[in-house]
Amino acid sequence: MHPLSLRELNDIGVERLRGVGERKLKSLTEFGISTVLDLLTFYPRRWVDRTNEARLSDLEPGREALVLVTVRSVVKRQTKNRKTMVTAVVGDGSGRLTIVFFNQPWREKQLREGVNISLFGRPDVFRGGLQMTNPVVDMIGDRTGRIVPIYPQSEKISLNTWEIAGFVENALERCEARGIADPVPASIRARLGLVDRASALKLIHLPETMADQARARRRLAFDELLRVQMVLVMRKRALEREQRGIRHDTSGELIGRLRAALPYTLTAAQERAIIEIEHDLAGPHSMHRLLQGDVGAGKTLVAVSAMLTAVQGRHQAALMAPTEVLAEQHATSVRRLLSGVSVPDPANLFGDRPLRVELLTNRVTGGDRRDVLAGLADGTVDIAIGTHALIQDAVQFHSLGVVVVDEQHRFGVEQRAALRDKATGDAVPDVLVMTATPIPRTAAMTVYGDLDVSVLDELPPGRTPIATFWANGPLDEIAVWADVCEEAAAGRQSYVVCPLIDESEKLELASAQETFDRLQAGELRELRVALLHGRMSSNDKEAVMDRFRRQELDVLVATTVIEVGVDVANATVMVVLDADRFGIAQLHQLRGRVGRGSKPSRCWLVTQTEPDPVTGKVDPSPRLQALVASTDGFELAEIDLELRGEGTIMNTAQKGRSDLKIASLRRDRELVAQAREVAFELVDADPLLERNTVLLDEVRLLFSADDEAFLFKN
Ligand code: ADP
Ligand code: MG
């Protein structure tokens, strides 16, 4: 008999295990455990090392500690103000301790005399002895062994952690005869120092030492990451296999003309990204590349260079932005960049014709729209800039060669399908996805793992770093408005960003209007101030932006519509009101609106945090602290990941059973990279995994139907 696969383990119900009767089965099901696979991957929450715990005689007042003890006695009482109070005396041979719980009447039943528990808490001196109030309690039952696994528990569900450990032990014993299949070849395991899967499953639940536990965790985390990477790498390779790309002509002179017209030289990072992109464009496969770069790193130029490459081979290019405002801004800056560039025209004996850039959004209507559509269809429009409408509408391109997608979120499978439909013949356009939200390298490997990545990790020279300050409460705010007034007196400009209101655009507008009225009547009454918000018509918005650009305004009070794209070098102060409502990435984007010229710029993060009632102190949130301390987008992205956890990053990419249960994009950075390498190694040796059906089968088992459909459609 061949060793058991995960699918086979998933086909065995837990009711087949010793000790699992109707009642236990119900409890297990409430934990989401119905098969042996569910049980084996229900990992302990932590592990208590008996040899490493404090003894009661070692406890010191005021110092948190973990102790393993036996309950000696329990009493429940009512306090004077009608709270219940459960008091227990516990001991461990070295001494005794009193523990007290308020408002947890059920503790009386939980803490029966003679039961073994672990306690985590802070002992304090009370009436001459030590006492812990509301410690964390884990039931560890009468399990022997040095290391005790502690499983996630819940008061409502009557399952003890040692019962779960017992079921796991029984399950593992019964797997022993056949063994558990290992999809990672022994040579790779040896190279990476990974234990085999059967040992890993045993040692995660029943480790002899903490080192065992760590080895087991590493292997199981690797397996989770490997499955994610297998899906991504197989998808990437499948695209390369199936899609015929366009071999772009990278030898023409347009890029040279663009460069010659630039008032600056490219950064090394821009040069590198352009080379990587040209390499993809010249190749036979269609490009799927992510361009990551901090605000102001110069992504637009890189994107324009890719689009020009298409144009010089007589193809067209499209740039898609997530909003109409952004599309309009892109159109402006792309036209500006290309104003000095004309296209060689074979139909014209005298040489060149002007390059034609057109905007296509839902706001372009009537005759203008018909014009643009006709130009796209007959190829006289070289570059189209717009929203998703560009690929979704009944838009026909003469020959679409390069698509640039500017967005925070990933470019979905459906959009790629829509793009394929825009292709003329069966060659698929090359795709460059730009994101201004840096994400940590390992997270990028997971979220964008089917794309190649170019990084602009360098800002153009001559930028002065932006100093960031936290201003809390009305007193600090005085300094903020004084700064805005001083800059205005010196001929420079400021932005004020209004509080973010998630629930409703209407409320947000009301609050922006209120902020504007308050400032104009108060602190900024001497200055020329205007309001900009998302509900304004694009003409009105453009008019306000124009006045700001022409320096007819000192201050622009705005909602987050200015988050991206606004580029006014004379603006030196960014004030963000209620800054603690914004996330790190968004604040970093907002701050990137200043610091675009040679004058030093400042960003004020304004909050109204109340002091702690006990200590009287006020501290900025960790997010605001991070922004004050760093202007490096990649560093901030790491901190963001640290603070928010990976859930937020992962949920767009993977869902359901493929969630990472034990691996962590934060803790396991090195493993992510190793899993990715192994995935390439396995897929390149055996593209359809015909010789590793164990792995193929578990990827199919553990990934959602969508992913599967995409992967295995052939
Ligand atoms: P991003 O889109 O990455 O935020 P942009 O492409 O909007 O950045 O560029 C930001 C600003 O920097 C623009 O004003 C652009 O003209 C300028 N810029 C781009 N590349 C360079 C460079 N190599 N040297 C100097 N300035 C540059
Ligand atoms: Mg830009």
Side-chain angles (χ1 to χ4, degrees):
M1 284 288 262
H2 61 85
L4 290 157
S5 68
L6 296 192
R7 185 180 297 277
E8 284 165 311
L9 293 174
N10 195 49
D11 286 341
I12 309 171
V14 269
E15 68 280 358
R16 310 246 316 259
L17 296 172
R18 188 184 334 123
V20 181
E22 214 165 285
R23 211 165 55 84
K24 296 296 167 199
L25 180 63
K26 190 161 166 281
S27 302
L28 284 166
T29 317
E30 283 183 57
F31 266 121
I33 303 172
S34 52
T35 73
V36 168
L37 179 64
D38 295 334
L39 179 68
L40 292 181
T41 56
F42 186 69
Y43 300 120
R45 183 159 58 80
R46 54 191 192 85
W47 294 261
V48 175
D49 184 346
R50 285 188 204 269
T51 58
N52 215 6
E53 305 316 320
R55 316 263 303 148
L56 287 178
S57 56
D58 299 333
L59 290 183
E60 290 169 31
R63 185 122 172 241
E64 286 192 326
L66 183 67
V67 286
L68 283 180
V69 293
T70 309
V71 176
R72 307 277 193 228
S73 63
V74 189
V75 286
K76 185 166 84 173
R77 293 196 279 120
Q78 292 275 320
T79 62
K80 273 179 267 144
N81 40 15
R82 299 180 164 271
K83 286 184 185 170
T84 54
M85 175 171 138
V86 174
T87 308
V89 176
V90 299
D92 74 348
S94 80
R96 285 180 173 232
L97 173 76
T98 307
I99 54 177
V100 186
F101 301 90
F102 291 100
N103 280 332
Q104 302 176 16
W106 49 272
R107 291 285 187 192
E108 186 192 19
K109 290 216 176 60
Q110 181 195 33
L111 301 174
R112 269 180 300 230
E113 203 178 309
V115 165
N116 293 328
I117 57 176
S118 84
L119 291 177
F120 181 76
R122 196 183 66 189
D124 288 305
V125 180
F126 186 73
R127 292 195 181 145
L130 283 185
Q131 172 175 311
M132 271 186 197
T133 306
N134 293 339
V136 177
V137 178
D138 278 310
M139 310 299 291
I140 57 175
D142 51 3
R143 286 196 69 79
T144 52
R146 257 186 66 185
I147 313 275
V148 182
I150 307 285
Y151 291 91
Q153 296 173 52
S154 132
E155 275 89 50
K156 282 178 262 113
I157 300 172
S158 59
L159 257 191
N160 292 311
T161 187
W162 68 88
E163 288 179 296
I164 297 173
F167 300 148
V168 169
E169 206 164 6
N170 183 243
L172 288 169
E173 273 165 22
R174 295 176 55 182
C175 290
E176 244 160 50
R178 279 178 60 185
I180 293 174
D182 196 325
V184 178
S187 60
I188 293 178
R189 293 199 314 257
R191 194 174 76 216
L192 297 178
L194 294 168
V195 297
D196 64 90
R197 175 174 281 171
S199 309
L201 284 172
K202 176 150 193 231
L203 294 178
I204 199 74
H205 293 286
L206 310 161
E208 299 277 322
T209 64
M210 288 309 273
D212 280 350
Q213 180 273 331
R215 272 192 291 277
R217 202 198 81 85
R218 183 160 175 268
R219 169 62 207 264
L220 297 170
F222 177 83
D223 285 359
E224 288 184 351
L225 296 167
L226 178 65
R227 285 191 287 262
V228 173
Q229 291 300 330
M230 289 305 294
V231 172
L232 295 166
V233 168
M234 287 177 84
R235 179 182 297 167
K236 178 168 164 43
R237 291 296 193 236
L239 280 175
E240 289 169 0
R241 249 192 335 268
E242 291 162 17
Q243 294 188 348
R244 206 169 60 78
I246 301 164
R247 284 180 190 271
H248 288 274
D249 173 13
T250 51
S251 67
E253 47 190 301
L254 283 193
I255 306 287
R257 292 185 188 179
L258 169 66
R259 284 174 174 242
L262 288 177
Y264 46 74
T265 51
L266 303 194
T267 65
Q270 285 171 320
E271 295 280 7
R272 207 179 333 114
I274 289 175
I275 290 171
E276 287 164 351
I277 290 168
E278 295 227 314
H279 179 84
D280 288 354
L281 292 179
H285 305 308
S286 54
M287 169 172 80
H288 296 276
R289 185 172 284 276
L290 175 71
L291 178 63
Q292 269 206 72
D294 211 338
V295 194
K299 291 181 293 296
T300 315
L301 179 67
V302 176
V304 165
S305 144
M307 295 196 289
L308 263 193
T309 304
V311 172
Q312 88 188 344
R314 309 246 192 83
H315 295 287
Q316 294 159 295
L319 193 163
M320 287 202 299
T323 65
E324 304 200 335
V325 180
L326 260 179
E328 284 157 21
Q329 278 163 6
H330 273 307
T332 310
S333 52
V334 170
R335 280 193 178 120
R336 204 177 332 147
L337 265 175
L338 292 176
S339 60
V341 182
S342 48
V343 194
D345 182 2
N348 176 350
L349 273 185
F350 303 101
D352 297 346
R353 65 172 176 86
L355 191 137
R356 186 169 169 208
V357 180
E358 292 290 355
L359 179 69
L360 187 65
T361 66
N362 289 336
R363 291 198 193 130
V364 178
T365 51
D368 290 346
R369 188 178 194 85
R370 275 194 298 278
D371 257 11
V372 175
L373 290 178
L376 289 173
D378 68 16
T380 52
V381 171
D382 299 294
I383 295 180
I385 298 179
T387 50
H388 275 59
L390 263 184
I391 55 161
Q392 282 161 355
D393 266 3
V395 180
Q396 280 303 322
F397 285 85
H398 179 66
S399 172
L400 183 57
V402 166
V403 177
V404 178
V405 186
D406 178 14
E407 62 177 9
Q408 282 86 335
H409 307 293
R410 62 165 310 154
F411 191 53
V413 171
E414 317 82 59
Q415 277 103 337
R416 285 198 191 151
L419 258 183
R420 258 195 305 273
D421 298 340
K422 295 286 162 213
T424 30
D426 56 354
V428 174
D430 292 270
V431 178
L432 181 68
V433 182
M434 295 199 285
T435 169
T437 314
I439 60 175
R441 216 174 77 84
T442 50
M445 281 182 191
T446 309
V447 181
Y448 294 106
D450 52 350
L451 304 182
D452 296 302
V453 179
S454 293
V455 180
L456 297 184
D457 52 3
E458 179 187 0
L459 294 182
R463 303 261 168 91
T464 32
I466 304 161
T468 303
F469 306 97
W470 175 51
N472 189 52
L475 276 180
D476 285 3
E477 253 191 65
I478 294 174
V480 176
W481 305 122
D483 189 28
V484 170
C485 292
E486 270 168 42
E487 288 297 291
R492 290 185 290 270
Q493 296 158 284
S494 304
Y495 300 104
V496 177
V497 175
C498 298
L500 179 73
I501 296 170
D502 279 334
E503 309 84 60
S504 126
E505 207 181 321
K506 226 166 153 185
L507 281 179
E508 185 160 289
L509 177 56
S511 121
Q513 186 70 48
E514 191 190 300
T515 306
F516 173 74
D517 294 342
R518 173 170 66 85
L519 289 172
Q520 203 177 35
E523 286 90 342
L524 306 183
R525 64 186 163 276
E526 311 279 310
L527 308 185
R528 298 166 299 171
V529 187
L531 177 64
L532 184 76
H533 60 78
R535 284 275 181 106
M536 286 161 72
S537 75
S538 57
N539 282 344
D540 292 351
K541 244 184 283 186
E542 210 27 67
V544 170
M545 277 314 300
D546 262 351
R547 283 166 62 207
F548 192 70
R549 273 190 216 105
R550 289 199 303 265
Q551 304 186 24
E552 294 166 14
L553 291 170
D554 302 305
V555 180
L556 196 60
V557 175
T559 55
T560 50
V561 292
I562 62 158
E563 187 181 341
V564 251
V566 176
D567 191 4
V568 177
N570 191 50
T572 50
V573 177
M574 166 63 66
V575 180
V576 185
L577 298 177
D578 275 0
D580 37 13
R581 289 187 176 227
F582 295 85
I584 286 188
Q586 207 174 10
L587 287 171
H588 181 62
Q589 288 292 327
L590 287 170
R591 178 169 62 180
R593 297 305 108 207
V594 295
R596 306 198 141 227
S598 53
K599 292 280 178 303
S601 296
R602 280 169 305 292
C603 173
W604 295 94
L605 304 173
V606 180
T607 58
Q608 312 293 339
T609 311
E610 297 290 331
D612 183 300
V614 179
T615 63
K617 279 182 32 181
V618 224
D619 288 314
S621 68
R623 276 175 296 149
L624 300 191
Q625 275 176 35
L627 278 142
V628 169
S630 173
T631 52
D632 178 332
F634 283 92
E635 191 181 321
L636 289 170
E638 294 278 353
I639 296 172
D640 203 17
L641 180 60
E642 206 77 47
L643 290 175
R644 291 193 307 162
E646 45 249 32
T648 42
I649 287 189
M650 286 299 287
N651 62 11
T652 48
Q654 267 83 38
K655 43 199 172 309
R657 308 195 64 180
S658 52
D659 277 350
L660 302 180
K661 283 185 179 173
I662 199 167
S664 152
L665 295 183
R666 288 171 286 170
R667 288 174 60 188
D668 300 313
R669 282 171 203 179
E670 198 194 354
L671 272 188
V672 174
Q674 287 170 341
R676 185 158 176 82
E677 262 170 50
V678 169
F680 273 111
E681 189 175 332
L682 296 174
V683 173
D684 287 341
D686 181 9
L688 299 176
L689 292 185
E690 285 155 328
R691 296 190 301 280
N692 194 342
T693 49
V694 175
L695 183 55
L696 179 65
D697 187 52
E698 70 189 53
V699 169
R700 300 174 85 154
L701 176 68
L702 295 170
F703 275 82
S704 69
D706 288 352
D707 284 324
E708 212 185 318
F710 188 88
L711 261 186
F712 304 105
K713 63 176 191 283
N714 299 327

